[in-house]
Amino acid sequence: MSKDIRIRKGLNINLVGAAEQTISKAVTSNVYALNLDDFHGITPKMLIKQGDEIKAGEPLFYNKNDEEMHFVSPVSGELVEIVRGARRRILTLKILADKEQDYMINKVPDLDTADGETIKSYLLQCGGWPFIKQRPYDVIADPSVTPKAIFVSAYGTAPLAADPDFILKDKEQEIRAAVMGLSKLTPGKIHVTIGKSSRSPFKDIKGIELHKISGPHPAGLVGTQINKIDPVNKGEMVWTLSPQDMVMLGELLLTGKFNAERVVALAGSVIKEPKYYKTKIGAEISTFLYASGVKEDRFRLINGDVLTGVKTNTEGHLGFYNNTVTAIPEGDDYEFFGWNKPVFNKISSTRALTFSWLQPKKKYDLDTNTNGEHRAFVVTGRYEEVFPLDIYPLQLLKACMVKDLDEMEQLGLYEVAPEDFSLTEFICISKQPHQQIIREGLDLLQKELG
């Protein structure tokens, strides 16, 4: 059954440098890394020591609060470094990869006869569980709680983001297996959202509730879709995962092998030949960055898209959940009296001195300059114009800032994630860190009430 959803509020940020739809194989990385910041709220307990040999798919550590939840190695090789921070907190694990990869093969459950507990236990033990996230709190899903539904967004609207239709091509078998497994973990539906004119393989998959969506960004964010399909109320939980992570779960359920392979979009105006690369989770970004070439020396490299990604450098590694790497010019030059001139080369949600609204399909070469400095919130009513959720964004942000738990609950913090506020942060004339404010609010709510 298919339902159409039309998103009217939002803002498309059309940037120069979209990845051409061709796939090249990235140079094999020597060292792979898992950044523990990717697993928000997880306290790791190591299962192996520095210097130990490990197979691809073999557990590296488990979650201190749930010993069954294993986090596995993307490759086989030697654990050469455990990078620690303050109070010996583990920050990063680095693995020197073998030339010939050796995989740990798990005994797969029978998808036709296995019950939900069997599937859950298998995914927890074999490293597939971290791909499943939950709302409220936007953290790795709590396996002890049954979700009312599962949501998958196979529609990309973020600037220069990887095209789900392209990266899912010829993956119907893995998707079908993932749907069979996930359907046993919830009494509710698996909601999948695709573009209105999509060529997605999800069109032919049974056992899902398919929705067709159209409209500007953030129509492709799963939080927008949850809000329009089945909002999260207090006491309820939903799970979310990306379509490419579904493919990895499907392969794990079919073959017993944790295959950390990813198709990544390398994009941005700084890249000479933006295109897709086949690589692995944790690979060195330089293994495909320089294959496409860069146009200038000073640029900002982002693990993810320009709105929600994390700043990295040429020595950085691909994030656990990322399928986009973006490179844009570094905005370290300032225009004298730039605030007082008509602007034709920047995007804005307002028509004051900015003329991007006259050319809605024009592509822009934006840099990282915020064109202003941090200051107190200015009430303009602009957030509501780009925020399609049935929530008051400014009031929720302020409730998080003053740590008012009752207000945070009543204003709908349960159903949002930091990424849902990436667009309001982009247009904020006060330059407030909206995503950080929401993240801190969610952490506080989980600590006090979770």
Side-chain angles (χ1 to χ4, degrees):
M1 183 180 176
S2 178
K3 294 181 179 178
D4 287 354
I5 303 168
R6 169 69 175 154
I7 302 298
R8 300 191 182 281
K9 293 181 178 181
L11 178 68
N12 280 330
I13 302 171
N14 299 319
L15 299 183
V16 174
E20 183 186 339
Q21 292 197 349
T22 59
I23 299 178
S24 296
K25 192 173 186 343
V27 175
T28 303
S29 185
N30 290 319
V31 177
Y32 291 77
L34 285 185
N35 184 347
L36 274 294
D37 284 342
D38 287 342
F39 312 118
H40 187 80
I42 297 294
T43 302
K45 300 297 286 185
M46 294 300 298
L47 289 165
I48 66 169
K49 302 188 297 295
Q50 188 168 313
D52 285 356
E53 295 285 334
I54 193 166
K55 292 181 179 180
E58 190 175 339
L60 288 163
F61 62 92
Y62 63 87
N63 178 8
K64 180 183 178 183
N65 297 322
D66 186 344
E67 293 186 11
E68 286 192 347
M69 190 187 296
H70 289 168
F71 295 75
V72 303
S73 176
V75 291
S76 67
E78 179 190 349
L79 180 63
V80 290
E81 187 177 3
I82 301 175
V83 181
R84 295 181 183 269
R87 298 183 180 179
R88 293 188 53 77
R89 176 174 169 260
I90 298 173
L91 303 178
T92 309
L93 303 176
K94 294 186 177 181
I95 301 146
L96 180 64
D98 294 333
K99 298 297 181 188
E100 294 293 327
Q101 287 295 296
D102 183 15
Y103 288 88
M104 180 175 178
I105 306 298
N106 301 284
K107 184 179 178 182
V108 297
D110 186 328
L111 285 174
D112 292 321
T113 59
D115 59 14
E117 286 302 314
T118 302
I119 299 291
K120 184 186 294 183
S121 178
Y122 177 77
L123 294 178
L124 284 165
Q125 292 291 321
C126 301
W129 195 264
F131 292 117
I132 305 172
K133 301 184 88 172
Q134 70 169 54
R135 300 209 182 186
Y137 312 129
D138 188 40
V139 293
I140 293 172
D142 181 353
S144 67
V145 181
T146 302
K148 70 169 182 175
I150 297 174
F151 287 83
V152 179
S153 174
Y155 181 53
T157 55
L160 302 179
D163 180 0
D165 291 354
F166 181 68
I167 61 179
L168 294 177
K169 194 176 179 183
D170 302 323
K171 297 296 183 182
E172 290 90 345
Q173 186 179 5
E174 291 87 347
I175 292 171
R176 200 168 281 114
V179 168
M180 285 183 69
L182 291 169
S183 65
K184 302 189 179 189
L185 302 180
T186 176
K189 298 174 180 176
I190 298 176
H191 297 279
V192 178
T193 308
I194 62 174
K196 202 167 186 181
S197 55
S198 170
R199 306 177 308 280
S200 175
F202 279 106
K203 282 185 170 182
D204 302 318
I205 301 295
K206 295 180 180 178
I208 63 173
E209 181 95 355
L210 193 68
H211 307 270
K212 292 183 178 179
I213 194 165
S214 59
H217 188 64
L221 293 185
V222 71
T224 303
Q225 298 161 13
I226 293 170
N227 185 265
K228 301 303 176 187
I229 297 168
D230 189 6
V232 183
N233 299 308
K234 184 177 180 180
E236 295 179 335
M237 180 184 288
V238 299
W239 289 350
T240 68
L241 67 164
S242 79
Q244 193 162 196
D245 292 344
M246 266 187 96
V247 170
M248 297 183 78
L249 285 189
E251 187 166 351
L252 186 60
L253 287 165
L254 286 172
T255 66
K257 187 169 80 169
F258 184 91
N259 183 0
E261 194 172 86
R262 273 232 192 281
V263 175
V264 177
L266 177 63
S269 62
V270 167
I271 305 298
K272 289 181 180 177
E273 295 180 28
K275 58 181 176 180
Y276 290 79
Y277 284 92
K278 191 172 285 187
T279 184
K280 289 187 176 181
I281 289 171
E284 295 163 292
I285 291 174
S286 59
T287 56
F288 51 89
L289 174 68
Y290 293 114
S292 276
V294 292
K295 298 176 184 176
E296 51 192 84
D297 295 331
R298 287 188 57 73
F299 59 90
R300 177 75 60 88
L301 195 58
I302 303 166
N303 228 329
D305 66 69
V306 294
L307 293 179
T308 63
V310 177
K311 180 181 176 182
T312 184
N313 55 44
T314 54
E315 296 176 357
H317 295 258
L318 182 67
F320 188 80
Y321 298 101
N322 291 346
N323 58 16
T324 304
V325 172
T326 316
I328 60 175
E330 189 67 68
D332 52 6
D333 55 327
Y334 299 93
E335 189 178 358
F336 190 58
F337 281 120
W339 54 271
N340 199 28
K341 299 176 183 177
V343 178
F344 295 91
N345 61 348
K346 294 172 184 170
I347 297 173
S348 175
S349 63
T350 174
R351 297 188 176 189
L353 293 176
T354 308
F355 294 91
S356 59
W357 57 275
L358 289 173
Q359 298 172 292
K361 293 188 178 180
K362 179 182 175 180
K363 293 189 176 181
Y364 295 83
D365 185 4
L366 301 185
D367 58 28
T368 61
N369 198 326
T370 58
N371 301 299
E373 59 185 14
H374 182 92
R375 53 186 174 266
F377 267 120
V378 178
V379 180
T380 62
R382 290 289 174 193
Y383 300 160
E384 287 78 7
E385 294 176 8
V386 300
F387 193 78
L389 282 68
D390 298 324
I391 286 171
Y392 295 113
L394 178 61
Q395 288 86 338
L396 180 53
L397 286 164
K398 288 185 172 181
C400 289
M401 292 177 78
V402 299
K403 301 180 180 179
D404 187 329
L405 292 173
D406 289 338
E407 281 289 298
M408 287 153 65
E409 277 190 282
Q410 292 168 16
L411 288 167
L413 188 62
Y414 284 117
E415 60 177 301
V416 300
E419 66 176 16
D420 296 318
F421 284 77
S422 58
L423 207 49
T424 61
E425 184 176 295
F426 174 76
I427 69 162
C428 180
I429 63 173
S430 304
K431 314 304 174 188
Q432 291 281 351
H434 294 201
Q435 295 181 77
Q436 180 184 330
I437 293 167
I438 294 298
R439 179 72 270 166
E440 290 170 358
L442 288 167
D443 290 346
L444 178 65
L445 197 65
Q446 184 178 22
K447 181 182 176 182
E448 297 294 330
L449 306 174

